[in-house]
């Protein structure tokens, strides 16, 4: 996954659709804005806006930091929703963003949805990124289509394990971000400690742009350090922002923090640095421009503070999103132009007006929901009108777009057209996530597909009762939506096997089957997806020959099975280098098929073969007896032969594990990770907390969560992310092989009994 830094497609400047936004009248809450007076209720936005007025952002956080609550506030203040509900609230309604019932119950965000809203004449698309790392694909997709992000930190918990993961992902995708230190109304909240952690643990050049007035239950408002003003959030829901003088006892601190902010920016911005040296005082406008410059370059992170729950500090954060996060055309996005033979050309398209550029977009999320097949699309260039036809550049299929919509959690609004920078949804378009759509069929463009890691864990899955139809419906939907979730029939164990990115990943799906499809399932013991690979090339020469009365079978294949370079160790390849007619060309596909069939199940341990190339060099045929079956069998025989003579090894998934524990537990955790064959890659400690990073085989991670919980009284946390495949140790190899033989033995016995 590390290697996957997926480049982005280009953007272009263009016009903007005629928004039809109907704001639900909110009777109980008159929206009176003092400072943010740019919009009133029930207004139709019909002005033609350009790409400068779009922000595509994600809100990322450690679980429970208040991401959902914050998003809810954002939608409320911007007039997109008329009511607010607390997550896990007493009113049993649940926050609007968590649309699935399960999310409501668990109060955590699983599936990412896109929603849009309007603030200060800008259209903000919020891509809800899931909090848990087991849902890697969701995160990859979300990061792919957003241009900037808000990193939410808990004012009490500070930088937590998940924060580190999210931070790493943002770095990988070069996503500029703002920080919001939330929950400052809580006992023990300390924004200064969190800022310190951002600097030391996340390596951000960060500084406050807002300061809290009062602390914990006495949190009253926010100081805007740039404008040198105090802001209070009046009204039942903090919807009225009132400006005032900075309280006397905070003036000095505000001045000091302003100086600190100036220094942090001057260190990375030439223009401001010069002014700083010349002791010139920059204007607020100059400061804002400087913050924008360095934030976009990821050299600085402005830090906002507040409490989403207590409705404090959210509106200034929204201003920050507009002022400091990138406009779609400020992010370099690339598409690939397919060229025959050659390497693909990387293309950064001309950011001209939409009308002048062909439409290019990426399908980044599929959902089979109440509205049928729904495809979330990010437009990178040009525009699309309802009723036009688009081409899928992968399948070359042409489809008409009968309906275009934008989404807000469960609801949608139809629109007539979409422009570059937009995020929208198509209906009834059959495609895979990661597909590129264009309107010009001659444009053989694609954005590199979103990286989909192979599942690393599997469990048997059995419906508890006779609900075959519901069960297969659910499986069909989930596997289509999430390419890292797969369900396959294993003919040996005669069981259905579900595979995914972690135990929680599979558990969530099993619960969703019960809740949403009334089809409870039983999951078996988790199994790691080992692979079988070659350590060195091995030659083969196999003749498949059968004479049984009538038509015989004859096929001979000669070649080499060879290891692929390390970066291709989860794939297999077939290469035909035969010359002449010893192997007639029409049989080559059969040989490839035979190889691929064998690769599904290695002979060492029953796991998939990977990192191997079947290099066909020569062979032989028989005028009468050669056919496809014969060559399929010949290829299979060749692989068996390679198992007799070759040096095979088992590979296992290695996980990147990050553990955060009270300092006194750090030593134990290091010891325990080492015991689990972990290699410690980094340790850090600050203010009573220790972080340990390690690479640990997934196979050894079972039970770690429980162990960690008990040895830290529930304080310890960890996150785990797939890293790569590596050879197992000799004892594990032996164990995996003997377990396989045992299982085979058992099933042999079963067979005998049946007969
Ligand atoms: N005291 C306090 N509690 C908050 C604040 N914001 C959120 N909470 C509470 O923290 C809990 C978690 O909030 P969520 O909004 O669900 O957090 P989340 O980050 O979306 O959580 P996941 O969906 O699990 O990732 C809820 O009980 C909220 O009511 C805040 O500013 N102050
Ligand atoms: C497999 O490929 C990954 C990614 O390139 C690499 O880090 C890893 O070391 C490789 N593993 C083996 C066994 O070659
Ligand atoms: C670590 O190991 C100790 C004893 O070896 C055990 O008591 C503890 O529960 C383990 N804790 C973790 C976090 O693995």
């Amino acid at each position: 996954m590390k290697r996957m830094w997926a480049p982005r497609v280009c953007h272009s400047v263009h016009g903007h659709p005629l928004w039809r936004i109907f704001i639900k009248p909110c009777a109980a809450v008159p929206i009176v804005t003092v400072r943010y007076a740019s919009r009133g209720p029930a207004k139709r936005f019909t002005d033609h806006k350009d790409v400068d007025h779009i922000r595509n952002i994600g809100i990322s956080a450690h679980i429970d930091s208040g991401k959902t609550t914050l998003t809810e506030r954002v939608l409320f203040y911007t007039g997109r929703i008329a009511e607010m509900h607390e997550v896990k609230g007493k009113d049993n309604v649940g926050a609007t963003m968590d649309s699935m019932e399960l999310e409501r119950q668990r109060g955590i965000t699983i599936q990412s949805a896109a929603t849009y809203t309007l603030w200060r004449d800008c259209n903000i698309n919020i891509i809800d990124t899931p909090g848990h790392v087991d849902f890697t694909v969701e995160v990859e997709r979300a990061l792919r289509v957003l241009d900037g992000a808000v990193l939410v930190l808990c004012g009490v918990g500070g930088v937590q394990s998940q924060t580190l993961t999210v931070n790493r992902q943002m770095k990988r995708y070069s996503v500029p971000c703002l920080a919001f230190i939330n929950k400052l109304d809580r006992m023990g909240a300390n924004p200064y400690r969190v800022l310190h952690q951002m600097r030391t643990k996340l390596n951000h050049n960060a500084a406050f742009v807002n300061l809290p007035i009062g602390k914990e239950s006495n949190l009253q408002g926010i100081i805007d350090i740039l404008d040198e003003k105090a802001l209070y959030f009046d009204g039942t829901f903090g919807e009225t922002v009132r400006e005032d003088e900075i309280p006397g006892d905070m003036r000095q601190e505000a001045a000091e923090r302003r100086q600190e902010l100036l220094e942090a920016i001057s260190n990375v911005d030439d223009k401001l640095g010069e002014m700083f040296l010349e002791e010139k005082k920059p204007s607020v406008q100059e400061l804002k421009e400087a913050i924008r410059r360095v934030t976009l370059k990821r050299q600085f992170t402005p830090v906002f503070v507040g409490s989403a729950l207590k409705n404090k500090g959210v509106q200034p954060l929204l201003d920050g999103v507009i002022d400091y996060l990138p406009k779609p055309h400020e992010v370099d996005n690339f598409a690939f132009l397919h060229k025959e033979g050659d390497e693909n050309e990387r293309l950064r398209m001309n950011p001209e007006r939409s009308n002048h550029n062909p439409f290019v977009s990426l399908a980044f999320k599929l959902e089979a929901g109440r509205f049928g097949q729904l495809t979330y699309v990010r437009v990178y260039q040009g525009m699309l009108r309802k009723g036009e036809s688009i081409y899928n550049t992968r399948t070359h299929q042409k489809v008409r777009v009968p309906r275009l919509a934008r989404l807000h959690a469960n609801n949608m609004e139809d629109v007539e057209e979409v422009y570059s920078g937009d995020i929208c949804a198509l209906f009834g378009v059959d495609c895979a996530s990661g597909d590129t759509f264009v309107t010009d069929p001659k444009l053989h463009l694609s954005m590199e597909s979103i990286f989909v890691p192979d599942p690393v864990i599997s469990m048997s899955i059995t419906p508890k009762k006779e609900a075959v139809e519901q069960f297969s419906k659910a499986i069909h939907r989930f596997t289509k939506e999430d390419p890292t979730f797969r369900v396959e029939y294993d003919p040996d164990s005669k069981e259905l096997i579900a595979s995914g990115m972690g135990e929680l990943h599979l558990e969530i799906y099993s619960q969703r089957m019960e809740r949403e499809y009334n089809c409870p399932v039983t999951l078996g013991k988790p199994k790691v997806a080992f692979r079988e690979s070659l350590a060195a090339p091995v030659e083969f020469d196999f003749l498949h020959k059968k004479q049984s009365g009538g038509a015989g079978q004859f096929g001979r294949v000669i070649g080499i099975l060879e290891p692929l370079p390390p970066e291709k160790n989860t794939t297999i390849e077939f290469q035909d280098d035969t010359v002449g007619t010893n192997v007639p060309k029409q049989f080559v596909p059969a040989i490839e098929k035979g190889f691929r069939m064998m690769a599904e199940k290695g002979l060492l341990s029953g796991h998939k073969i990977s990192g191997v190339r079947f290099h066909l060099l020569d062979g032989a045929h028989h005028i009468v007896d050669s056919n496809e079956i014969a060559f399929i069998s010949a290829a299979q025989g060749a692989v068996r032969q390679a198992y007799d003579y070759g040096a095979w090894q088992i590979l296992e998934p290695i996980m990147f594990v990050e553990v955060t524990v009270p300092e006194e537990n750090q030593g134990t955790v290091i010891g325990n990770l080492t015991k689990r064959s972990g290699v410690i890659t980094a340790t850090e400690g600050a203010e009573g907390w220790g972080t340990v990073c390690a690479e640990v085989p997934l196979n050894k991670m079972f039970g770690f969560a429980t162990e960690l919980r008990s040895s830290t009284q529930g304080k310890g946390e960890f996150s785990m992310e797939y890293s790569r495949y590596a050879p197992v140790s000799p004892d594990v190899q032996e164990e995996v092989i003997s377990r396989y033989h045992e299982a085979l033995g058992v099933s042999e016995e079963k067979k005998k009994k049946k007969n």
Side-chain angles (χ1 to χ4, degrees):
M1 209 157 72
K2 298 272 147 38
R3 78 196 146 83
M4 261 328 281
W5 157 203
R8 294 148 179 259
V9 161
C10 61
H11 295 292
S12 86
V13 185
H14 54 68
H16 200 337
L18 312 178
W19 301 119
R20 299 241 172 78
I21 297 176
F22 301 102
I23 294 164
K24 288 184 213 149
C26 16
V29 194
I31 298 192
V32 190
T33 45
V34 175
R35 186 166 176 241
Y36 306 94
S38 56
R39 41 159 298 279
K43 184 172 158 191
R44 261 182 180 220
F45 294 92
T46 50
D47 42 334
H48 198 66
K49 282 193 271 69
D50 59 36
V51 81
D52 280 338
H53 296 267
I54 299 180
R55 301 290 183 280
N56 291 316
I57 65 158
I59 299 181
S60 299
H62 182 83
I63 290 158
D64 251 28
S65 311
K67 192 181 79 181
T68 308
T69 311
L70 177 67
T71 310
E72 193 79 349
R73 266 35 173 195
V74 165
L75 295 178
F76 175 73
Y77 294 132
T78 56
R80 293 291 294 122
I81 53 169
E83 304 162 71
M84 286 199 285
H85 302 282
E86 250 188 71
V87 180
K88 297 173 207 149
K90 291 164 221 79
D91 55 7
N92 257 337
V93 182
T96 307
M97 284 296 282
D98 286 339
S99 52
M100 292 187 309
E101 197 193 338
L102 178 66
E103 291 189 29
R104 255 168 228 198
Q105 289 217 355
R106 289 199 160 202
I108 65 170
T109 310
I110 298 157
Q111 215 175 21
S112 62
T115 187
Y116 80 101
T117 192
L118 206 85
W119 186 249
R120 270 175 43 194
D121 273 355
C122 278
N123 190 194
I124 304 177
N125 291 308
I126 302 169
I127 296 122
D128 188 21
T129 53
H132 203 280
V133 237
D134 273 353
F135 303 96
T136 331
V137 167
E138 299 271 335
V139 181
E140 297 275 335
R141 283 171 180 166
L143 288 171
R144 182 71 198 278
V145 296
L146 49 83
D147 302 317
V150 175
L151 184 62
V152 184
L153 294 127
C154 171
V156 182
V159 172
Q160 289 161 289
S161 58
Q162 183 85 54
T163 324
L164 294 163
T165 311
V166 167
N167 187 58
R168 210 170 40 239
Q169 284 163 337
M170 289 192 190
K171 194 168 153 199
R172 192 189 302 153
Y173 285 83
S174 293
V175 179
C177 65
L178 312 179
F180 182 70
I181 304 179
N182 189 32
K183 299 201 185 183
L184 290 186
D185 60 304
R186 269 185 57 186
M187 273 267 284
N190 183 347
Y192 308 101
R193 183 181 62 216
V194 181
L195 176 70
H196 179 73
Q197 291 177 346
M198 284 188 66
R199 289 171 177 164
T200 53
K201 290 191 180 178
L202 302 181
N203 276 320
H204 280 235
N205 175 26
F208 289 119
V209 290
N210 287 173
L211 278 180
I213 303 172
K215 57 187 263 200
E216 300 178 352
S217 59
N218 192 32
L219 178 72
Q220 295 160 25
I222 296 293
I223 291 173
D224 181 333
I225 296 185
L226 290 175
D227 277 327
E228 299 175 283
K229 290 255 163 57
L231 302 174
Y232 299 95
F233 305 87
D234 296 344
T236 328
F237 299 103
E239 66 277 7
T240 312
V241 183
R242 174 168 52 88
E243 282 186 8
D244 207 340
E245 294 284 299
I246 298 179
D249 59 345
M250 286 209 63
R251 281 203 197 121
Q252 189 181 345
E253 178 172 14
E256 282 169 14
R257 293 289 171 178
R258 198 171 197 273
Q259 192 60 19
E260 190 182 307
L261 172 68
L262 269 161
E263 281 172 31
I265 306 165
S266 302
N267 283 338
V268 286
D269 186 68
D270 290 346
K271 201 164 158 195
L272 207 73
E274 241 166 64
M275 292 179 83
F276 192 78
L277 287 180
E278 292 166 12
E279 290 183 22
K280 275 193 219 154
K281 196 170 183 279
S283 68
V284 172
Q285 191 53 34
E286 282 171 324
L287 255 178
K288 283 192 174 170
E289 280 164 16
I291 294 179
R292 179 173 186 84
R293 280 195 296 275
V294 290
T295 304
L296 294 194
K297 288 190 209 150
R298 284 182 51 83
Q299 292 169 339
F300 176 72
T301 309
V303 180
F304 294 79
V305 297
S307 161
L309 191 66
K310 295 288 150 66
N311 308 314
K312 297 204 171 28
V314 178
Q315 293 96 326
L317 174 69
L318 275 167
D319 281 347
V321 165
I322 305 231
D323 291 337
Y324 308 133
L325 288 181
K327 304 163 186 178
H329 61 105
E330 286 173 326
V331 177
D332 280 345
N333 282 302
F334 295 92
F336 293 89
L337 190 60
H338 297 302
K339 290 203 158 170
E340 260 173 52
D342 272 313
E343 286 269 291
N344 291 337
E345 191 184 333
R346 220 162 148 241
L347 217 64
R348 185 183 196 283
M349 278 177 264
N350 201 2
E352 286 295 324
R353 306 200 65 80
S354 284
N355 305 355
H356 297 250
N357 272 313
F359 171 80
V360 181
S361 68
L362 169 77
F364 67 92
K365 184 179 168 67
L366 307 183
E367 222 174 77
R370 288 190 280 139
F371 321 117
Q373 162 90 48
L374 198 67
T375 309
Y376 288 82
V377 165
R378 155 100 197 230
V379 184
Y380 286 98
Q381 178 180 276
M383 63 169 300
L384 179 68
R385 280 187 205 87
K386 193 172 111 178
E388 282 182 331
S389 289
I390 50 176
Y391 294 84
N392 182 329
T393 60
R394 180 178 59 90
T395 61
H396 304 291
Q397 259 170 2
K398 177 182 164 178
V399 276
R400 211 178 74 91
V401 179
R403 195 170 172 194
L404 277 172
R406 29 198 47 258
L407 278 113
H408 163 240
N410 266 342
N411 312 317
M412 55 181 175
E413 281 162 2
D414 281 82
V415 290
E416 294 297 312
E417 38 193 29
V418 289
Y419 293 82
S420 92
D422 275 342
I423 285 169
C424 65
L426 310 175
F427 294 86
V429 173
D430 193 27
C431 68
S433 80
D435 280 358
T436 306
F437 284 109
V438 297
T439 42
D440 179 356
K442 291 193 286 294
L443 255 192
H444 297 295
L445 269 184
S446 80
M447 316 193 16
E448 201 179 49
S449 183
I450 291 168
F451 177 63
V452 177
D454 283 309
V456 290
I457 205 164
S458 63
M459 299 179 187
S460 69
I461 184 168
T462 337
K464 273 191 196 145
K465 53 174 194 185
E466 290 296 313
V468 182
E469 201 175 314
Q470 287 302 87
F471 180 74
S472 64
K473 246 193 212 162
I475 300 283
H476 181 76
R477 170 173 166 203
F478 296 151
T479 50
K480 197 159 182 182
E481 274 174 27
D482 178 354
T484 58
F485 176 64
R486 293 175 203 171
V487 176
E488 280 155 351
Y489 180 71
D490 177 10
D492 289 337
S493 64
K494 304 221 173 6
E495 278 174 326
L496 277 172
I497 306 293
S499 35
M501 299 316 292
E503 282 176 272
L504 181 64
H505 191 197
L506 299 181
E507 275 163 22
I508 296 259
Y509 279 121
S510 96
Q511 292 183 19
R512 285 185 63 186
M513 284 185 200
E514 174 158 5
R515 295 239 165 78
E516 292 171 38
Y517 288 87
N518 188 25
C519 173
V521 296
T522 319
L523 291 176
K525 268 215 209 110
K527 285 198 193 108
V528 173
F530 291 102
R531 299 297 179 103
E532 297 185 14
S533 195
L534 266 175
V538 53
E539 291 178 5
F540 59 81
D541 178 350
F542 190 84
L543 170 66
H544 174 78
K545 195 171 146 190
K546 228 179 202 166
Q547 228 86 49
S548 51
Q553 284 183 20
F554 187 101
R556 181 177 174 193
V557 291
I558 300 170
I560 309 171
L561 269 195
E562 46 201 17
L564 286 166
E567 67 276 8
K568 290 190 180 168
N569 58 31
T570 56
T571 61
I572 50 170
E573 276 180 16
F574 177 85
Q575 188 178 333
D576 168 29
D577 274 333
T578 55
V579 283
T581 53
N582 287 349
V583 181
K585 283 291 173 211
Q586 80 256 31
F587 293 129
V588 171
I591 297 171
E592 176 164 2
K593 191 169 166 193
F595 165 57
R596 291 193 183 272
M597 281 162 72
M598 282 304 282
E600 282 301 306
K601 208 167 177 107
L603 298 177
L604 212 52
S605 64
H607 291 97
K608 277 187 184 170
I609 296 179
S610 73
V612 171
R613 179 194 289 127
F614 189 102
H615 196 169
L616 181 66
L617 296 171
D618 204 356
H621 74 289
H622 182 277
I623 295 292
V624 183
D625 291 345
S626 277
N627 52 32
E628 280 187 12
I629 306 280
F631 274 104
I632 289 176
S633 302
Q636 291 179 325
V639 175
R640 281 194 202 98
Q641 195 181 54
Y643 264 94
D644 288 340
Y645 299 107
W648 292 82
Q649 63 187 6
I650 293 177
L651 306 182
E652 64 181 342
I654 304 290
M655 309 302 279
F656 189 84
V657 178
E658 224 158 48
V659 193
T660 308
V661 286
E663 214 149 37
E664 65 266 24
N665 298 117
Q666 196 171 6
T668 332
V669 167
I670 292 177
N672 293 19
L673 285 173
T674 313
K675 216 163 64 198
R676 290 172 182 271
S677 312
V679 177
I680 311 294
T681 53
T683 57
E684 267 170 52
E687 286 149 43
W689 288 85
T691 302
V692 181
C693 301
E695 292 197 325
V696 193
L698 175 62
N699 188 35
K700 302 270 184 176
M701 281 302 286
F702 295 117
F704 183 72
T706 323
E707 207 178 84
L708 182 69
R709 225 176 287 133
S710 69
S711 68
T712 61
Q713 287 85 46
K715 288 192 208 126
E717 287 182 346
F718 83 106
S719 72
M720 186 161 87
E721 199 182 350
Y722 163 72
S723 164
R724 67 200 152 86
Y725 270 90
V728 300
S729 62
D731 54 316
V732 172
Q733 175 139 346
E734 218 160 86
E735 189 192 314
V736 172
I737 293 173
S738 68
R739 221 190 303 142
Y740 177 59
H741 287 163
E742 265 169 41
L744 275 187
V746 171
S747 62
E748 287 299 320
E749 267 168 38
K750 263 192 205 160
K751 270 184 207 160
K752 272 182 209 150
K753 266 186 200 157
K754 265 191 186 162
N755 289 343

